[in-house]
Amino acid sequence: MTRVVLVGPPGAGKGTQATALSEQLGVPHISTGDLFRAHIANNTELGQDVRRYLDSGQLVPDEVTNEMVRERLEEPDARAGFLLDGFPRNVGQAEVLGKILSSTGQAIDAVVEFKVDEDVVVKRLLARGRTDDNEDVIRRRQEIYRSETAPLLSYYGDSVITVDAVGEVGDITERVLSALRDRT
Ligand code: AMP
């Protein structure tokens, strides 16, 4: 069970969990947000193109995002599995992901939903202090989650495992690992 998508509202702790899970499962953690931020930090052409979307909390256009993910998944370390964090973020991206994987005989094994109250995540994000963590941008990202990303949960249907994402970091990691084990 190593091809896993993590879904949850901004601030649900997906990134922290993905880092721990990636070590435990021995598969790379692929975060589209991290990939975009690296492009911005390195001032690449792609970075210059996407900066305004990250700054305002809007989604980067699908063509740009999907192509970046396609290239990342073609790298050898992703062949045996991966944890996708922050992608797909809408049903269109999920359809493209399905096509990318099926072209090499792969498929998603599970989708882990991080369940957490919106009040809790807004507090966490304000404490985190990333440049896109001011209150307006946070609110916009939450709205986009509800309208564009949450529909993925019905799209993936029975593949979704819902995990309570409130508590100690280590406990939550254990919850995810045991939920994944129960599925195999
Ligand atoms: P994250 O680190 O996942 O919170 O993402 C930070 C920002 O990167 C988002 O607010 C979007 O602007 C952009 N982003 C990350 N992943 C995607 C995606 N799959 N599709 C479009 N934009 C994305």
Side-chain angles (χ1 to χ4, degrees):
M1 178 81 42
T2 46
R3 295 188 181 94
V4 175
V5 170
L6 307 179
V7 178
K14 292 189 302 296
T16 306
Q17 289 302 323
T19 304
L21 292 165
S22 152
E23 271 173 35
Q24 297 276 340
L25 298 169
V27 294
H29 165 202
I30 301 179
S31 155
T32 42
D34 285 351
L35 292 172
F36 287 135
R37 283 184 289 275
H39 275 283
I40 291 170
N42 294 324
N43 205 24
T44 66
E45 209 176 315
L46 191 144
Q48 289 170 14
D49 288 346
V50 305
R51 167 174 241 134
R52 63 196 165 103
Y53 298 103
L54 277 89
D55 284 346
S56 64
Q58 247 128 13
L59 294 186
V60 172
D62 285 351
E63 316 83 76
V64 177
T65 307
N66 292 338
E67 201 41 43
M68 183 178 74
V69 170
R70 184 195 305 279
E71 284 174 17
R72 180 64 189 87
L73 289 175
E74 277 170 4
E75 286 179 32
D77 66 331
R79 277 298 151 121
F82 48 76
L83 280 166
L84 277 174
D85 162 15
F87 183 91
R89 251 202 180 63
N90 59 38
V91 171
Q93 292 182 2
E95 287 169 346
V96 170
L97 175 63
K99 285 185 193 142
I100 294 173
L101 294 177
S102 65
S103 71
T104 53
Q106 305 176 67
I108 293 297
D109 297 310
V111 175
V112 177
E113 177 196 8
F114 287 73
K115 194 136 193 108
V116 46
D117 252 27
E118 188 160 331
D119 288 356
V120 175
V121 297
V122 171
K123 266 193 210 128
R124 275 194 203 164
L125 289 173
L126 285 169
R128 188 169 67 175
R130 220 166 66 188
T131 55
D132 57 350
D133 284 341
N134 70 66
E135 210 159 338
D136 279 355
V137 175
I138 289 173
R139 201 169 303 123
R140 174 163 312 132
R141 299 208 330 263
Q142 301 291 344
E143 277 165 21
I144 292 177
Y145 178 77
R146 274 196 300 270
S147 61
E148 303 223 17
T149 309
L152 286 178
L153 300 169
S154 4
Y155 176 83
Y156 282 119
D158 290 344
S159 304
V160 177
I161 305 172
T162 300
V163 171
D164 174 10
V166 181
E168 295 293 325
V169 171
D171 292 344
I172 299 166
T173 308
E174 273 314 309
R175 278 175 217 158
V176 176
L177 288 172
S178 84
L180 289 173
R181 276 192 296 265
D182 289 347
R183 277 296 166 108
T184 48

